[in-house]
């Protein structure tokens, strides 16, 4: 019987079975590792497994359950995190050779929070190098395949985080989203992924890509699973000065499915030529589902959308060039060429251990920041960035959430865009605006293409209003009630 297979369970289903005593955390953890060992050789979601410590954590969880000291819904649930996030004593490479062998001396705040919620950490997940990419093909370690079609990418940069959930390896994961890296792979892999409001979740102990855009967020098969994960990681952190002192509401309680009178904005600039017809249909179905549940559909305009990708790639590369200057062979990871002096050490270490996409970004970023071009590119991009925030501000005067596509197409093929950076960047057209404006946004599964590929819908919310956003997503999910069957 399928339903007895843990790989088909959602996070809330796994939590319910742990609570009822139908399965212990140890049994669940072992069964997840079994599936990982059977299939991850093909999928490539994990960069590192932490079996021994996971089993210890599972046993501790079972003991708490026996003595009625269970910590909450995540207690005993197998999870994993993207390799951008620091894990004490456990290799953290950010998908790069320049951090090979690096074992951080502490856990990132989000990891510490998951652990203190009782979650069982299973390992670290594959990603594009330094989170630069949309396909996980720039990982310096290995390819990651889409669990729905092994010839396609899982998206990126948090491809491993999305694939691990979709494949039924673990029940929840964390990723990072600088320009879409949670929402796009969630969409490609047919699961839910949330990029919270900038400042909602601590970035302490997270490898920095573009600090003014980066945000950590959860993946799970369904919206309530993602809500449970977000609950565990959200909140102010004194060690991240950009995290915001805002009360964290009870997210599960917000998932009523009641969207009567909710005003849904449909941005006309997102339904453009080049949008795949099946993606468009699945977004339309989500809109119809919300309307049938009593929501009001309102046409809105986000007039600067066409400039989003250009603006994003100026700001993101500028910040990346600056952030990545710390990898020089001195502080972390391997050191090359030091026998020939300091300069040679820098050159050899950075020249050999950064991959081509990272080098491209550092060069772009250095260029837009350089004396002669700063005003023309970086300063200008900062000004345009403000216009995106204004666009959303205007729209949110009339609507509560915005519903639109997550990606222009379903998952693309491995190798299809990897030789053409511009094509890869253009894939981010619908996701980067939310980062530029700092808004919460999520993607959820809203259909399958005729070829059997997952299709996603994106919902964007007001700052710090993840509750309304997730409730709208929950209403769509309940109404559409989409069956998922990987077939393996
Ligand atoms: N694809 C985008 C980029 O390459 C977004 C990546 C991300 O969100 N980390 O920059």
């Amino acid at each position: 019987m399928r339903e007895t297979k843990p790989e088909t369970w959602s996070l809330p289903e796994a939590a319910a079975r742990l609570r009822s005593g139908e399965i212990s955390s140890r049994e669940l953890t072992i069964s997840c590792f079994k599936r990982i060992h059977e299939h991850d050789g093909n999928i490539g979601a994990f960069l590192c497994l932490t079996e021994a410590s996971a089993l210890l954590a599972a046993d501790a969880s079972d003991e708490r359950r026996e003595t009625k000291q269970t910590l909450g819904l995540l207690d005993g649930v197998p999870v994993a995190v993207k390799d951008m996030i620091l894990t004490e004593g456990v290799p953290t490479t950010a998908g790069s050779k320049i951090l090979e062998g690096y074992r951080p001396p502490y856990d990132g705040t989000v990891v510490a929070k998951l652990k203190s919620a009782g979650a069982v950490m299973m390992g670290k997940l594959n990603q594009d190098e330094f989170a630069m990419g949309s396909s996980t093909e720039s990982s310096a370690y290995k390819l990651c395949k889409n669990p729905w079609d092994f010839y396609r990418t899982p998206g990126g940069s948090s491809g491993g985080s999305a694939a691990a959930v979709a494949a039924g390896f673990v029940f929840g994961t964390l990723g990072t989203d600088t320009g879409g890296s949670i929402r796009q792979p969630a969409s490609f892999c047919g699961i839910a992924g949330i990029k919270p409001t900038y400042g909602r979740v601590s970035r302490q102990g997270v490898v920095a890509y573009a600090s003014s855009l980066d945000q950590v967020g959860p993946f799970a098969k369904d919206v309530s699973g993602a809500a449970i994960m977000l609950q565990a990681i959200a909140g102010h952190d004194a060690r991240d000065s950009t995290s915001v002192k805002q009360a964290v509401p009870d997210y599960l309680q917000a998932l009523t499915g009641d969207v009567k009178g909710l005003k849904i904005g449909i941005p006309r600039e997102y339904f453009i030529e080049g949008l795949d017809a099946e993606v468009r249909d699945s977004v339309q179905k989500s809109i119809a589902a919300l309307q049938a549940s009593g929501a009001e559909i309102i046409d809105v305009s986000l007039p600067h959308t066409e400039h989003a990708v250009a603006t994003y790639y100026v700001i993101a590369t500028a910040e990346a060039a600056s952030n990545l200057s710390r990898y020089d062979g001195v502080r972390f990871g391997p050191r090359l060429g030091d026998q020939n002096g300091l300069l040679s050490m820098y050159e050899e270490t950075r020249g050999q251990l950064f991959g081509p996409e990272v080098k491209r970004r550092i060069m772009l970023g250095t260029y837009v920041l350089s004396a002669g071009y700063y005003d023309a590119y970086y300063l200008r991009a900062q000004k345009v960035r403000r216009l995106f925030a204004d666009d959303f501000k205007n729209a949110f005067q009339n609507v509560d959430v915005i519903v639109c596509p997550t990606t222009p197409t379903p998952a693309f093929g491995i190798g299809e865009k990897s030789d053409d950076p511009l094509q890869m960047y253009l894939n981010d057209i619908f996701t980067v605006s939310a980062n530029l404006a700092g808004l919460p946004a999520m993607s959820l599964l809203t259909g399958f293409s005729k070829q059997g590929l997952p299709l996603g819908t994106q919902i964007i919310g007001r700052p710090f209003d993840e509750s309304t956003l997730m409730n709208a997503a929950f209403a769509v999910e309940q109404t559409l009630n989409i069956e998922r069957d990987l077939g393996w």
Side-chain angles (χ1 to χ4, degrees):
M1 273 182 0
R2 281 204 71 79
E3 61 272 23
T4 60
K5 292 189 185 162
E7 65 263 27
T8 66
W9 302 345
S10 66
L11 192 158
E13 282 168 347
R17 285 163 147 100
L18 284 167
R19 190 186 340 204
S20 72
E22 185 183 318
I23 193 164
S24 69
S25 176
R26 168 169 270 267
E27 288 164 342
L28 191 56
T29 301
I30 289 173
S31 119
C32 286
F33 277 124
K34 186 165 170 267
R35 185 161 171 87
I36 293 168
H37 288 306
E38 269 169 24
H39 297 284
D40 201 43
N42 177 35
I43 298 294
F46 279 91
L47 291 178
C48 150
L49 292 171
T50 49
E51 293 202 56
S53 58
L55 285 172
L56 286 176
D59 287 343
S61 167
D62 288 333
E63 229 170 274
R64 282 192 295 273
R65 207 168 292 278
E66 249 164 57
T67 53
K68 307 225 175 315
Q69 287 175 314
T70 297
L71 297 167
L73 288 169
L74 275 182
D75 202 343
V77 174
V79 303
V81 303
K82 186 178 185 178
D83 212 27
M84 285 292 265
I85 306 174
L86 271 55
T87 41
E88 185 183 347
V90 174
T92 299
T93 67
S96 181
K97 289 281 179 200
I98 211 160
L99 279 175
E100 191 162 25
Y102 172 58
R103 291 171 189 263
Y106 61 93
D107 279 331
T109 297
V110 288
V111 169
K113 283 189 159 195
L114 283 179
K115 283 183 178 170
S116 59
V120 175
M121 302 291 295
M122 308 282 284
K124 303 296 293 288
L125 296 159
N126 202 358
Q127 58 163 94
D128 281 300
E129 185 175 0
F130 285 106
M132 296 170 182
S134 309
S135 66
T136 315
E137 288 165 291
S138 86
S139 166
Y141 293 94
K142 57 181 170 187
L143 208 59
C144 185
K145 297 179 189 165
N146 190 311
W148 294 95
D149 179 339
F150 302 150
Y151 293 98
R152 291 176 192 264
T153 82
S157 66
S158 316
S161 302
V165 168
F169 293 156
V170 289
F171 299 97
T173 57
L174 296 183
T176 60
D177 190 314
T178 304
S181 280
I182 291 175
R183 290 159 286 156
Q184 187 254 22
S187 176
F188 279 14
C189 291
I191 62 172
I194 304 175
K195 180 202 93 73
T197 312
Y198 186 79
R200 175 56 99 190
V201 175
S202 171
R203 293 183 297 114
Q204 194 267 346
V206 180
V207 174
Y209 162 13
S211 309
S212 77
L213 303 161
D214 297 343
Q215 195 57 198
V216 177
F219 290 91
K221 272 188 189 144
D222 61 4
V223 177
S224 42
I228 292 169
M229 291 288 286
L230 181 60
Q231 192 81 53
I233 59 168
H236 176 250
D237 177 5
R239 287 174 300 173
D240 171 7
S241 60
T242 63
S243 78
V244 174
K245 274 191 187 138
Q246 276 258 359
V248 181
D250 185 328
Y251 291 130
L252 266 191
Q253 212 174 352
L255 304 186
T256 58
D258 180 5
V259 291
K260 251 184 223 91
L262 196 73
K263 294 194 172 77
I264 313 284
I266 314 299
R268 58 185 92 108
E269 291 82 2
Y270 280 56
F271 293 84
I272 46 169
E273 213 180 301
L275 174 62
D276 176 272
E278 289 182 297
V279 172
R280 177 193 303 254
D281 285 353
S282 100
V283 178
Q284 299 293 5
K285 275 189 197 130
S286 311
I287 297 169
L290 287 162
Q291 196 165 23
S293 313
E296 192 185 332
I297 309 301
I298 297 168
D299 178 53
V300 296
S301 174
L302 299 169
H304 295 95
T305 301
E306 63 172 310
H307 305 296
V309 172
T311 310
Y312 169 82
Y313 277 93
V314 171
I315 294 174
T317 55
E319 293 187 24
S322 162
N323 273 326
L324 270 56
S325 63
R326 72 188 61 157
Y327 306 104
D328 54 8
V330 177
R331 303 173 183 84
F332 324 88
R335 172 177 304 169
L336 304 178
D338 58 332
Q339 65 282 9
N340 298 321
L342 186 66
L343 259 185
S344 141
M345 182 187 80
Y346 290 159
E347 277 173 16
E348 293 286 309
T349 304
R350 289 170 68 85
Q352 292 194 31
L353 300 177
F354 279 140
E357 184 59 30
V358 173
K359 286 183 190 160
R360 184 178 297 126
R361 305 276 181 118
I362 292 174
M363 285 190 276
L364 264 172
T366 306
Y367 179 79
V368 301
L369 286 175
S370 61
Y373 296 99
Y374 183 89
D375 289 0
Y377 294 107
Y378 184 70
L379 204 62
R380 192 137 167 223
Q382 289 293 15
K383 289 180 182 160
V384 177
R385 179 173 187 174
R386 174 58 185 271
L387 301 177
F388 295 105
D390 290 346
D391 277 2
F392 280 107
K393 218 183 208 163
N394 290 335
F396 280 124
Q397 300 212 316
N398 303 316
V399 300
D400 301 304
V401 294
I402 287 171
V403 175
C404 57
T406 312
T407 60
T409 62
F412 50 83
I414 291 170
E416 200 180 313
K417 296 184 199 286
S418 45
D419 292 337
D420 187 345
L422 193 57
Q423 281 309 312
M424 194 69 94
Y425 299 172
L426 285 171
N427 198 255
D428 302 335
I429 173 98
F430 301 137
T431 49
V432 291
S433 300
N435 302 76
L436 290 166
L439 300 172
M442 75 175 293
S443 182
L444 74 153
L445 172 67
T446 53
F448 282 96
S449 73
K450 286 191 198 77
Q451 281 191 60
L453 299 173
L455 304 167
T457 294
Q458 179 176 216
I459 308 185
I460 307 173
R462 291 198 178 102
F464 296 99
D465 193 9
E466 285 84 1
S467 297
T468 304
L469 165 76
M470 290 192 289
N471 187 40
F474 185 71
V476 171
E477 189 178 73
Q478 297 294 101
T479 309
L480 297 182
N481 192 22
I482 293 166
E483 287 265 331
R484 52 182 107 217
D485 182 3
L486 268 186
W488 55 273

